[in-house]
Amino acid sequence: MKLAIDCRMIGSGGIGTYLCGLLPYFVEEHECILLGRAADLAEYTGRGGVQVLDCPIKTFSLQELVAFPTPLLKAINSCDAYYSPYCNIPGRFFGGIKVPVFSTIHDVVFLDIPELAGGFGTAVRKWFYQYAIKKSCCIFTVSQFSAERIRSLLKFPAKKPLVVTYNAVPHWFTDDTAGSGAKDGTGAVAGTAGDEAGKTKDLLFVGNIKAHKGLHILLPAFKLARQRGLDGRLVIVGNASNFRTGDSGILEQFQSLPEEAFSFTGRVSDSELRDLYRRCRLLVQPSLYEGFGMPPLEALSQGTNVVLSDIPVFKEIYGSLPVTFFKTAEVEDLAEKLLSAWKLPAPLLGDTGYSFKKSATVIFDAIRSVL
């Protein structure tokens, strides 16, 4: 099977991570044309069965939608199928992708929480979701929760496949065993209960200022936990300017904390993020909404305890794993759970059941069933 794969979103947060986790299995199993930035795909350049095509066209741009370059479309149409890790489908006024299309809708948070993008922004995103559904032979998503919301909020044909392909721990988290036990690439980690070696007194938050990420819940809960004896620092992955200028309420909450009680990492590399997970004592994920939520799984893979909200998707994904749930959006309960989880031994994580190899197999089977 020969596949054309849109790789332009490598480096774009969770979607880029999802794609990078799947790519090794795509190129191992099939002949592939990879469309994206050459620098992002350097490890695949010159590899047998792989052709890397430079594609500078921005995702979700007008050029992508109505004037995608003819040579790239010709290359796509020389394949058996086109796969996109997101819901942007290239095209042209006359002619476009003629082979079967398979795309991904990770979540519909902008439809469930329309105030995130406003009326116009929500309408635009809904149009792209519907366009992807119309053009695709099959839609993939990353949780049963997201699948239910897609069917509920979009005009999804009853007979069209909607297939769940779960996220997993990326391979760059599992190819180095130093400090976190032996791993087998499936999310299984062998560790020693109570091993606190190398752990700092840091509480880690990986997210952004958008309301559904729950930072406005975490900050007062952290302040309350400190008043009750939590001897730790809040470390926030991201740039201070993004958090301090984006929301006046968030700024006031930061100003109410001592300067030594928190810090910002700035932009971090994949290896730096892995090291942060390894060193911190606790990861907190206070989200109000997620499609999957990767940081808790990544933290657990590095032997770090996790406190997270009891939203439905987290109960689905993490319900059987060694995590601590708190009542969503409840500051008092989060403060208490931070205090109790702070004292826990390192988690013992067996096979989580999530692996990109398994998800790639699900994708291949779905494509074959259409072809």
Side-chain angles (χ1 to χ4, degrees):
M1 187 160 61
K2 184 177 180 181
L3 301 175
I5 304 169
D6 188 345
C7 300
R8 289 175 292 155
M9 295 195 76
I10 288 178
S12 300
I15 295 169
T17 299
Y18 174 79
L19 175 61
C20 287
L22 291 170
L23 267 182
Y25 302 104
F26 275 87
V27 300
E28 179 182 320
E29 294 287 335
H30 304 286
E31 185 180 354
C32 295
I33 292 179
L34 309 182
L35 290 83
R37 294 178 294 272
D40 292 336
L41 297 166
E43 65 180 292
Y44 299 106
T45 301
R47 179 167 176 165
V50 178
Q51 182 182 4
V52 174
L53 295 181
D54 185 57
C55 182
I57 310 303
K58 291 183 178 180
T59 55
F60 298 102
S61 65
L62 187 61
Q63 186 178 8
E64 175 191 63
L65 191 61
V66 301
F68 205 69
T70 299
L72 294 178
L73 285 174
K74 185 176 180 180
I76 292 171
N77 289 328
S78 71
C79 298
D80 297 308
Y82 175 81
Y83 171 80
S84 173
Y86 202 35
C87 57
N88 51 304
I89 311 298
R92 289 187 69 87
F93 279 123
F94 301 103
I97 299 178
K98 302 182 184 300
V99 297
V101 171
F102 300 81
S103 62
T104 312
I105 299 176
H106 289 255
D107 61 57
V108 286
V109 61
F110 292 103
L111 303 186
D112 269 320
I113 313 177
E115 55 267 28
L116 288 175
F120 178 75
T122 300
V124 169
R125 287 167 172 81
K126 186 172 184 178
W127 185 90
F128 273 104
Y129 295 148
Q130 294 289 180
Y131 185 73
I133 291 170
K134 178 181 178 181
K135 291 291 184 179
S136 301
C137 297
C138 172
I139 293 288
F140 300 108
T141 191
V142 293
S143 64
Q144 295 293 344
F145 169 78
S146 281
E148 185 277 327
R149 299 312 296 151
I150 289 168
R151 289 198 182 277
S152 176
L153 296 173
L154 296 169
K155 297 177 181 178
F156 202 93
K159 294 184 178 180
K160 180 163 291 189
L162 177 57
V163 178
V164 173
T165 56
Y166 288 108
N167 260 305
V169 177
H171 62 84
W172 55 87
F173 275 72
T174 60
D175 60 9
D176 176 2
T177 61
S180 58
K183 308 179 191 73
D184 64 5
T186 66
V189 178
T192 302
D195 182 8
E196 297 289 332
K199 291 293 185 183
T200 64
K201 292 184 177 181
D202 288 340
L203 171 68
L204 192 65
F205 172 83
V206 181
N208 56 49
I209 199 170
K210 292 177 182 176
H212 70 287
K213 292 296 183 179
L215 184 61
H216 63 292
I217 305 298
L218 171 58
L219 289 175
F222 174 65
K223 182 178 180 179
L224 186 58
R226 279 176 54 86
Q227 293 170 352
R228 296 177 179 177
L230 182 71
D231 180 22
R233 178 183 61 152
L234 176 61
V235 176
I236 301 164
V237 176
N239 294 314
S241 59
N242 293 339
F243 290 88
R244 287 176 170 158
T245 62
D247 186 296
S248 59
I250 292 292
L251 175 59
E252 291 174 2
Q253 289 181 336
F254 277 121
Q255 291 174 336
S256 72
L257 292 167
E259 286 191 10
E260 68 274 12
F262 63 93
S263 67
F264 295 87
T265 65
R267 185 177 177 86
V268 298
S269 66
D270 292 331
S271 61
E272 289 170 332
L273 179 60
R274 181 182 62 181
D275 288 342
L276 283 168
Y277 283 132
R278 287 180 177 177
R279 295 197 307 267
C280 72
R281 184 175 296 271
L282 199 63
L283 173 88
V284 60
Q285 188 86 18
S287 303
L288 306 178
Y289 190 104
E290 294 285 350
F292 182 95
M294 276 299 297
L297 195 60
E298 293 170 342
L300 287 170
S301 79
Q302 302 307 305
T304 296
N305 283 301
V306 172
V307 174
L308 71 171
S309 51
D310 61 355
I311 56 177
V313 70
F314 282 168
K315 298 293 282 189
E316 174 192 343
I317 303 301
Y318 296 103
S320 62
L321 301 184
V323 301
T324 299
F325 288 105
F326 75 94
K327 296 176 182 178
T328 301
E330 293 196 13
V331 171
E332 173 73 27
D333 193 49
L334 175 54
E336 287 301 313
K337 295 299 169 55
L338 292 178
L339 287 166
S340 60
W342 196 252
K343 303 172 185 177
L344 291 175
L348 282 173
L349 187 65
D351 185 353
T352 66
Y354 306 118
S355 77
F356 279 117
K357 181 176 182 179
K358 185 182 296 185
S359 290
T361 299
V362 172
I363 292 171
F364 298 154
D365 288 345
I367 294 175
R368 289 192 192 99
S369 71
V370 171
L371 299 184

